[in-house]
Amino acid sequence: MASVARSLIGAFVVFLAGLPHLGWAQTNPFEARPPLAPLRVIEGIEILGNARTARSVVLDQLSLREGDVVDTARVEASRVRLLSTGFFRSVEFSLRRGSRRGQVLLVIALEERSTLRFEDVGFGFGPGNEPFVALGLAETNFLGRGVTVGGSVALGPDRRAFDVRLFHPNLANTGLQLAGSAIWIVGQELIDPSLEDESPRLAYERLGGTLGLGFGPGPAQRISFVYRLEAVTTEPLPNLDPPVLRRAPSILDGASVLSSLGATWERDTRDDAFAPSRGVRWAAAVEVGTSLLGSDYEFSKYSGEVEAAFRLLGDQALVLRAFGGLVQGEAPFFVQYFARDFSRFGYGVPALPRAVRLNFSQNNDYDDLLLDAGVTWTLPLLGEPTLGFDRILIYLAVDFTVSGSLEERQDDVGGRSAFVTFPVTFDAGLKLDTELGRFVLSMAYALDLFL
């Protein structure tokens, strides 16, 4: 009996000796542990350098509030969101000791920049070498409240477009976002681009606008609902042969009404919309035109897109993007997709991108389906801001774009198939971030203009 007891005691001693090698022994509550780092609670937020920008605008971009525990990831997310507004040249966070142990002051040091922006800058030559020019101007931080107000104009001998727009990111401190726009467009589309100057033209006029309401369900997210109402008028077409008439863009004759309701979801963590170096933007949208809203056009439009930016060696950046869109039903041509709005320079492409939603080119190929994918590489050429330039970047871009119609109601000129025959396009040039706005000097635009 004594020998059995000694054997059991020996086995128990061996078991205790092996405890340090067992996985659960590493979580022994009696084992000595290093002391935990003390929690730091934000007692207050101090903002420096916001001479023009209201304090509330800065606070709206933060992922942290007074009473929150300091979190490095949330601090960095807040810094990126402040930079992405375009209101500041630099944003720095630091901590200062609070009034009692465990509490700190979150200090935000800002360097503001001009928020007046030139947009939609372009020029070129339409059918018959008719010149046109386009120019837009926007203030993205109106009265320091983060409100965007802007307008654009495009003018040619027989075409003109005007638009004004407003965006309020926090309406009456409710967290709701208000957006609105108004347009007046007088345009023409060549019915048979193969005839160039001798082609009959579809003359039309659009007058209307949009009103939207949105909210942010989470950090860097937005859901918005937009109502769109336009009065559309077309001039009577001359008597044309049916094959020629089928080449005209899709639109109702005489006076008509476009009334639609749309919804958009967006999540954007990019550090900059103009030339991002990190972050991802996701977006999905749907728009429905229906007679229930008084519309003469019955259609639905769906789109989804993603853009992801990655920092490479040094300050180089690579941006990957993809877009897909589909239109179903009897939509007017200006609701459909115009491939040149997405692609770059491609040899033999007879079109320029639209200016202020107005087509000045000979191409009239609007489609119901569009798929686009591209990659852009950027490299900064300036180490520090100088001579009014905050940044100068060189960029190279390649795009793959195809478009077509599920039901080809409009005949394409030259016997082309439903999908374009020049899917790969390219571009190179400079991106200029200046005190007067952000500009792109595009080699693709120049080649399209003169070739």
Side-chain angles (χ1 to χ4, degrees), residues 270 272-279 306-313 315-322 342-345 372-380 393-401 425-431 440-444:
R270 297 173 301 172
D272 181 25
F274 180 64
S277 61
R278 59 179 172 175
V306 59
E307 179 179 282
F310 307 90
R311 187 180 293 275
L312 303 179
L313 295 175
D315 292 328
Q316 300 177 67
L318 194 68
V319 179
L320 306 177
R321 66 182 174 280
F342 296 84
S343 59
R344 313 282 183 159
F345 173 76
D372 176 76
V375 56
T376 302
W377 169 84
T378 60
L379 173 67
L393 305 99
I394 186 173
Y395 73 91
L396 300 173
V398 177
D399 273 271
F400 179 87
T401 307
T425 58
F426 70 92
D427 192 12
L430 296 176
K431 291 190 173 187
V440 178
L441 301 180
S442 165
M443 184 180 69

Side-chain angles (χ1 to χ4, degrees), residues 86-427:
F87 304 162
F88 311 106
R89 183 174 287 109
S90 66
V91 177
E92 298 295 337
F93 281 75
S94 61
L95 298 176
R96 207 165 62 206
R97 182 178 300 174
S99 61
R100 63 183 65 181
R101 182 180 177 85
Q103 293 187 333
V104 294
L105 291 176
L106 182 65
V107 181
I108 307 173
L110 306 170
E111 183 183 356
E112 292 180 314
R113 55 172 297 168
S114 172
T115 51
L116 188 64
R117 296 282 180 264
F118 284 99
E119 301 176 338
D120 298 322
V121 179
F123 66 95
F125 300 93
N129 288 323
E130 303 162 351
F132 72 88
V133 63
L135 180 63
L137 190 64
E139 169 55 58
T140 60
N141 191 16
F142 186 65
L143 299 178
R145 298 293 175 178
V147 176
T148 297
V149 292
S152 301
V153 58
L155 295 173
D158 53 9
R159 297 171 172 87
R160 54 191 178 275
F162 305 89
D163 80 356
V164 294
R165 52 197 178 276
L166 166 74
F167 174 73
H168 197 305
N170 190 2
L171 186 63
N173 295 320
T174 61
L176 294 177
Q177 301 168 341
L178 177 68
S181 69
I183 63 163
W184 178 41
I185 295 177
V186 177
Q188 293 187 6
E189 296 282 343
L190 299 187
I191 293 179
D192 189 348
S194 65
L195 299 177
E196 298 184 356
D197 298 343
E198 299 179 1
S199 170
R201 302 189 180 197
L202 169 68
Y204 68 94
E205 182 176 354
R206 298 168 54 195
L207 178 64
T210 63
L211 181 64
L213 199 63
F215 63 96
Q221 294 189 61
R222 181 170 61 146
I223 294 177
S224 58
F225 301 92
V226 178
Y227 175 66
R228 175 179 182 178
L229 179 64
E230 292 186 26
V232 184
T233 306
T234 61
E235 294 183 3
L237 291 174
N239 292 326
L240 300 173
D241 293 335
V244 176
L245 188 59
R246 283 198 299 270
R247 296 172 185 168
S250 174
I251 196 169
L252 295 177
D253 294 333
S256 58
V257 173
L258 170 63
S259 180
S260 69
L261 186 63
T264 301
W265 170 83
E266 179 184 23
R267 186 175 188 273
D268 192 352
T269 61
R270 297 173 301 172
D271 57 352
D272 181 25
F274 180 64
S277 61
R278 59 179 172 175
V280 182
R281 177 182 178 270
W282 299 86
V286 60
E287 180 183 4
V288 176
T290 171
S291 59
L292 297 177
L293 298 173
S295 178
D296 294 317
Y297 300 92
E298 296 266 0
F299 69 91
S300 58
K301 182 177 183 179
Y302 313 90
S303 65
E305 57 185 308
V306 59
E307 179 179 282
F310 307 90
R311 187 180 293 275
L312 303 179
L313 295 175
D315 292 328
Q316 300 177 67
L318 194 68
V319 179
L320 306 177
R321 66 182 174 280
F323 176 91
L326 171 66
V327 180
Q328 293 181 312
E330 300 292 331
F333 69 88
F334 51 83
V335 172
Q336 297 175 304
Y337 297 105
F338 191 62
R340 290 299 291 154
D341 291 342
F342 296 84
S343 59
R344 313 282 183 159
F345 173 76
Y347 181 75
V349 181
L352 284 171
R354 290 181 296 178
V356 195
R357 291 174 282 183
L358 185 58
N359 182 16
F360 284 96
S361 71
Q362 300 179 44
N363 189 296
N364 74 348
D365 189 25
Y366 296 86
D367 287 310
D368 300 321
L369 175 66
L370 185 134
L371 301 173
D372 176 76
V375 56
T376 302
W377 169 84
T378 60
L379 173 67
L381 299 181
L382 282 182
E384 296 291 338
T386 181
L387 299 176
F389 291 93
D390 290 335
R391 289 180 297 173
I392 299 179
L393 305 99
I394 186 173
Y395 73 91
L396 300 173
V398 177
D399 273 271
F400 179 87
T401 307
V402 293
S403 65
S405 292
L406 298 180
E407 297 178 4
E408 191 67 22
R409 296 183 301 272
Q410 177 187 348
D411 286 349
D412 290 321
V413 177
R416 295 191 314 168
S417 63
F419 285 92
V420 296
T421 55
F422 39 85
V424 179
T425 58
F426 70 92
D427 192 12

